[in-house]
Amino acid sequence: MTVTATPPSSGVTGKISNYLDERTSISGAVKEFGRKIFPDHWSFLLGEVALYSFVIILLSGSFLTFFFQASMASVQYDGSYVPLKGVEMSVAMSSTLDISFDLRGGLLLRQIHHWAALLFISAIGLHMLRVFFTGAFRKPRELNWSIGFVLFVLAMAEGFTGYSLPDDLLSGNGLRIIDGMIVGLPVVGTWISFLLFGGEFPGSDIIGRLYTLHILLLPLVVLAFIVLHLMFVIIHKHTQYPGPGRTEQNVVGYPVLPVYAAKAGGFFFLVFGVVVLIAATVTINPIWAYGPYDPSPVSAGTQPDWYIGFADGALRLMPPHLETYWFGYTWSWNIIIPVLLLLVFLAVVFAYPFFEAWVTGDKREHHVLDRPRNAPVRTAIGAAGVTFYAVLWAGAASDIIATHFKVTMEGVINTLQIMLILGPIFAFMIAKRVCLALQKKDREIVLHGFETGRIVRLPGGEFTEVHQQLDDYDRWQLVSFNDNAPIMVRPNARGKITGATRRRAAWSRFFFEDRIAPVTQTEYKQELEHSHH
Amino acid sequence: MSQKPETHRKRGRRSPVAIVLLVGIGLITTGAAYAMATTATASAEVDLMSPQVIDEGQKLFAANCATCHGQQAQGTDNGPSLIGVGAAAVDFQVGTGRMPMQGNGPQAPAKPVQFTDEQVKALAAYVASLGPGPSIPSQSDLTGGDAANGGELFRINCAMCHNVAGAGGALTEGKYAPELKNTSAVHAYEAMLIGPQNMPVFNDLNLTPSEKKDIVAYLEYLKENPSPGGLELGSLGPVSEGLFIWIIGLGAIIGLTIWITAKSN
């Protein structure tokens, strides 16, 4: 071929790039990754917020490890916080106090670390909700949902282990509750507790063990899963909201280089800025007010950090006195049932994409997202799940709700117990109705246009409001969605109807019995002709 | 050259320094007067043994308390006997506005105080004259405690109801332990002495006077020293922290995401 050799790049940048490329062949990767297209929508940045929070946590956490000592050896505090002077406490607590009061910038870094951790998990939660309600978990992304779910659980574990490290009264009480839950498991509970705490609670091992988990094992696993999660995002390409020109084969948006790299880089600093601003002005986890852990005092208003709240709430909402004595063991149903409830809830969250794929029998790839209203039953299931979680969450704050709204604690607990069962059912019905109504409204707008607010009097004296048809772009957004019909029960090749087929058909009816079909071309044309007469 | 007389003139009573000085003098005198006035009321020494004071107290009692507690404070179906509750009980209940009670409820809430300090003391004197009981702690009972020891004692004896940071907490059936950030030293001490409402009595064998003094010192320290970490969010711990990150933190972040993905015009 007669391609002229490209002249060697002049200038420093060119030379450096050339040097690197000749030794690493990195240009291929840069070209591939730099041309990756990402669509622009605010809700696509929630996962990014989680990622950036994690980076902030890594940075601030590394700083804290330089000064924190994970030891439960006893020491007399001799730092500058007066009301704890001379008080006996563990080295872990004392070194955390030293970080807070006697290390320049220590308190700020501690607060950055903790606030970023809260933001990390809440951003993950919101990101999961976005993925759920838009159906972004459908093929080919089911596995990535699973990876994300594991990250959510790992993040909670990271949070809880970190929360316990200062060995203060509040977190000590939290650990005591965990110990209680473990001991409440029949047969093996006591032994697991002994194994974990190195003997009787609290022992002198747990802080060191949690520290290893918190700064070594869990971060490594989180990092590995984040890498996996992002690799899948690149392999699958990003999803996009429906719109004109957006298909299952393309991605409409901006390339990573230079647009997204700049935007995302800038966004990192914005998130960092928000976290630092919060950390500099708002107290979090004031361990100096809580004092060192001692198994005897338990403070009123003891709560875990928000992400463990749903578990605490499950324990609080469980009716008391449910215990049986079988085979020489006490079976504490008031512990076992909440633990099982939480495990089942998490299992449902994990398994939902696979379940929905089985119900719909949909083997197609989906890169264009659903608008939540166009999948009414899924949206309703999500609303029910959110309500269930929220009630458990509120349960953890039942005493604070009681004091601040001046109601009785029993009233709050009983209301929440009822809400835990009825709330999700109501949420399901309301959300489904709202979705169907919105779909009907969309249909109405497509067929008859939108109201212009212009009232015209006809020669006969009749008043009508002038409706205007949507333009083609807006209309496309309202008509381009999948219409799922319930699956028919059909005999298989051997002429038999299996139980699985029946169950699947029943679920399919549950999902798609009530549905609003998108406006078809014929319908639309007919309606146009009709309105011209 | 021509500026010299000007600078000279500035040294008069019109100079900015003079304004600063005047404002300073004004602030100091008002401040001092106010401080004197407040210390005067705070240390309004009312002789609780004097017959006139007891007499005045009896009149106030008959007019304001006797409906429920009886004409001789002997108690009725609506209120307990006050014979032997001591001056401390009256000073606490009336001095924090809990009494006279506005309506029946699980517990009498603190509300704006209905009487002047002298009147409260007169009522206390009258009730104290009915039978021996705990008296109002003196200034020397309240000052000079060890805050560190007080903190330990507070965590062991008080935190399970009042919360470890003194933010208050819920009890059963609508009862509650109030927050302690606005409780004065003398009222905190009296509460331990008399065990008002749903609170147990911490007698001198349970918590010695010097231990009570330490607890008061700890509470005073918490009041005088705001959190070194910034806003306290009501000292409610993880619940308010969680609400803050979801509403303010994530709210701000979402605002930013909308901003950076907005299409430029």
Side-chain angles (χ1 to χ4, degrees):
Chain A
M1 293 242 272
T2 56
V3 176
T4 47
T6 43
S9 323
S10 54
V12 183
T13 328
K15 277 182 183 149
I16 293 173
S17 343
N18 212 32
Y19 181 91
L20 283 176
D21 187 38
E22 281 169 3
R23 282 154 186 83
T24 60
S25 325
I26 201 169
S27 65
V30 171
K31 204 191 268 175
E32 171 66 23
F33 184 68
R35 287 182 183 170
K36 220 77 210 157
I37 301 290
F38 281 96
D40 228 3
H41 191 271
W42 69 267
S43 69
F44 294 160
L45 294 182
L46 294 169
E48 232 167 281
V49 175
L51 177 67
Y52 297 155
S53 311
F54 184 68
V55 174
I56 299 168
I57 291 169
L58 275 188
L59 293 175
S60 54
S62 306
F63 175 88
L64 293 175
T65 58
F66 299 155
F67 304 98
F68 176 72
Q69 291 162 26
S71 155
M72 289 175 89
S74 184
V75 68
Q76 277 210 341
Y77 176 69
D78 191 29
S80 44
Y81 187 67
V82 177
L84 287 175
K85 248 197 176 24
V87 172
E88 209 165 294
M89 58 181 67
S90 65
V91 171
M93 173 79 181
S94 145
S95 63
T96 314
L97 286 170
D98 289 342
I99 290 172
S100 306
F101 294 113
D102 297 299
L103 176 66
R104 189 155 307 192
L107 182 57
L108 180 64
L109 262 294
R110 247 197 78 217
Q111 301 205 129
I112 288 176
H113 191 68
H114 204 141
W115 278 121
L118 294 196
L119 182 66
F120 178 49
I121 310 180
S122 49
I124 293 178
L126 214 55
H127 174 62
M128 282 175 89
L129 289 177
R130 196 280 293 170
V131 168
F132 181 87
F133 283 113
T134 57
F137 55 77
R138 289 171 298 169
K139 190 182 171 185
R141 294 182 180 78
E142 305 101 316
L143 288 181
N144 220 16
W145 168 270
S146 318
I147 293 168
F149 171 83
V150 173
L151 275 171
F152 180 57
V153 174
L154 285 172
M156 289 195 282
E158 268 286 30
F160 189 80
T161 51
Y163 163 87
S164 302
L165 287 183
D167 202 18
D168 58 304
L169 189 59
L170 182 70
S171 70
N173 286 329
L175 267 182
R176 186 48 158 163
I177 294 170
I178 296 287
D179 178 53
M181 285 171 91
I182 295 170
V183 171
L185 301 178
V187 189
V188 290
T190 314
W191 303 109
I192 294 179
S193 166
F194 278 10
L195 185 69
L196 200 61
F197 291 93
E200 278 292 351
F201 177 88
S204 53
D205 296 337
I206 187 68
I207 297 291
R209 290 177 181 176
L210 290 178
Y211 191 54
T212 309
L213 291 177
H214 183 72
I215 70 161
L216 179 73
L217 193 62
L218 288 172
L220 269 182
V221 184
V222 169
L223 207 58
F225 273 85
I226 287 180
V227 169
L228 215 57
H229 199 63
L230 293 182
M231 268 171 52
F232 270 119
V233 172
I234 291 167
I235 292 169
H236 292 146
K237 301 178 181 60
H238 207 286
T239 50
Q240 55 190 344
Y241 281 102
R246 295 176 181 185
T247 68
E248 299 287 2
Q249 279 76 42
N250 69 6
V251 186
V252 179
Y254 295 102
V256 167
L257 285 176
V259 179
Y260 251 89
K263 269 198 179 188
F267 187 47
F268 169 72
F269 289 104
L270 286 175
V271 174
F272 208 155
V274 169
V275 170
V276 173
L277 188 67
I278 292 174
T281 49
V282 187
T283 310
I284 189 166
N285 199 22
I287 49 154
W288 53 87
Y290 302 151
Y293 183 59
D294 167 353
S296 57
V298 176
S299 166
T302 295
Q303 267 90 12
D305 273 353
W306 78 259
Y307 43 85
I308 305 291
F310 75 119
D312 193 33
L315 282 178
R316 291 191 188 207
L317 295 188
M318 187 67 206
H321 309 308
L322 287 173
E323 280 184 358
T324 43
Y325 189 74
W326 285 346
F327 318 116
Y329 293 101
T330 306
W331 297 66
S332 306
W333 298 108
N334 44 10
I335 301 276
I336 301 168
I337 293 174
V339 170
L340 285 179
L341 190 76
L342 296 175
L343 291 179
V344 168
F345 178 71
L346 290 176
V348 167
V349 174
F350 176 82
Y352 185 81
F354 306 99
F355 172 69
E356 197 190 286
W358 173 72
V359 171
T360 55
D362 192 351
K363 299 275 189 292
R364 292 168 298 173
E365 289 206 353
H366 292 280
H367 301 290
V368 176
L369 296 169
D370 276 335
R371 296 170 78 210
R373 68 184 63 173
N374 291 334
V377 171
R378 178 203 297 146
T379 304
I381 290 174
V386 169
T387 311
F388 183 78
Y389 185 92
V391 172
L392 289 179
W393 201 14
S398 53
D399 54 333
I400 290 185
I401 294 173
T403 49
H404 283 73
F405 293 97
K406 306 221 182 293
V407 286
T408 67
M409 187 123 98
E410 292 81 354
V412 175
I413 295 278
N414 290 338
T415 310
L416 289 176
Q417 283 169 335
I418 295 167
M419 288 276 288
L420 189 65
I421 296 165
L422 293 186
I425 298 174
F426 282 130
F428 180 90
M429 295 195 297
I430 293 169
K432 189 176 163 189
R433 284 296 133 198
V434 168
C435 287
L436 290 172
L438 285 171
Q439 278 187 301
K440 276 187 187 159
K441 188 190 122 214
D442 283 356
R443 246 186 101 82
E444 177 68 24
I445 289 175
V446 170
L447 290 176
H448 302 125
F450 59 89
E451 296 167 351
T452 55
R454 204 155 64 83
I455 311 288
V456 178
R457 190 176 184 189
L458 299 182
E462 181 194 357
F463 287 98
T464 58
E465 184 176 7
V466 176
H467 284 238
Q468 193 179 339
Q469 290 296 333
L470 293 176
D471 66 40
D472 291 347
Y473 294 100
D474 289 336
R475 191 179 311 114
W476 174 245
Q477 238 162 349
L478 301 186
V479 298
S480 63
F481 62 90
N482 287 313
D483 181 29
N484 285 297
I487 300 171
M488 290 293 157
V489 183
R490 287 211 176 80
N492 62 8
R494 287 204 216 130
K496 272 192 173 174
I497 296 173
T498 59
T501 320
R502 279 183 203 284
R503 275 197 296 281
R504 195 170 140 193
W507 277 111
S508 182
R509 264 202 311 283
F510 171 74
F511 264 77
F512 305 118
E513 205 166 32
D514 302 323
R515 67 185 195 285
I516 308 290
V519 179
T520 59
Q521 195 134 21
T522 14
E523 262 182 303
Y524 178 64
K525 288 224 168 98
Q526 273 175 359
E527 187 58 38
L528 271 190
E529 275 175 31
H530 176 74
S531 65
H532 279 304
H533 285 299
Chain B
M1 288 152 277
S2 60
Q3 276 165 349
K4 238 184 181 172
E6 227 176 54
T7 45
H8 180 72
R9 223 181 329 129
K10 268 192 181 166
R11 289 200 188 112
R13 63 191 165 87
R14 286 174 196 277
S15 111
V17 183
I19 296 168
V20 173
L21 272 176
L22 270 175
V23 170
I25 290 166
L27 281 176
I28 287 165
T29 37
T30 356
Y34 180 77
M36 274 165 72
T38 45
T39 41
T41 43
S43 62
E45 282 304 319
V46 180
D47 182 9
L48 297 186
M49 308 300 276
S50 103
Q52 291 97 319
V53 175
I54 294 174
D55 216 36
E56 195 204 327
Q58 186 169 16
K59 282 182 196 140
L60 283 168
F61 188 89
N64 296 288
C65 320
T67 323
C68 302
H69 291 291
Q71 280 297 337
Q72 271 72 47
Q74 79 281 17
T76 69
D77 289 346
N78 298 323
S81 159
L82 299 183
I83 297 165
V85 298
V90 179
D91 190 50
F92 177 85
Q93 302 279 13
V94 183
T96 58
R98 286 179 167 80
M99 290 291 153
M101 207 172 168
Q102 238 163 16
N104 277 319
Q107 167 167 339
K111 57 180 185 294
V113 186
Q114 311 284 307
F115 299 100
T116 65
D117 200 43
E118 279 83 9
Q119 288 171 322
V120 173
K121 293 290 183 299
L123 275 170
Y126 168 66
V127 170
S129 74
L130 300 173
S135 53
I136 299 170
S138 67
Q139 204 58 34
S140 62
D141 289 330
L142 303 173
T143 46
D146 172 10
N149 189 41
E152 279 284 89
L153 291 166
F154 185 84
R155 282 189 285 280
I156 294 167
N157 293 288
C158 320
M160 59 279 290
C161 299
H162 285 287
N163 171 287
V164 73
L171 303 174
T172 53
E173 303 288 350
K175 292 170 282 196
Y176 58 91
E179 54 104 8
L180 302 176
K181 289 280 165 70
N182 299 311
T183 307
S184 70
V186 64
H187 288 147
Y189 197 103
E190 284 166 351
M192 289 186 271
L193 277 181
I194 62 162
Q197 318 250 353
N198 299 298
M199 182 168 159
V201 172
F202 290 88
N203 64 35
D204 285 353
L205 294 175
N206 202 326
L207 285 174
T208 66
S210 96
E211 286 175 334
K212 289 196 180 84
K213 190 192 280 185
D214 292 348
I215 290 178
V216 168
Y218 177 66
L219 290 176
E220 289 297 295
Y221 184 94
L222 288 187
K223 263 194 281 181
E224 284 158 18
N225 296 276
S227 168
L231 296 174
E232 291 174 22
L233 304 179
S235 299
L236 293 177
V239 172
S240 46
E241 289 160 9
L243 284 178
F244 186 89
I245 200 67
W246 270 94
I247 297 168
I248 312 271
L250 213 51
I253 298 274
I254 288 174
L256 290 171
T257 60
I258 292 172
W259 175 53
I260 70 165
T261 52
K263 293 219 164 55
S264 55
N265 291 323

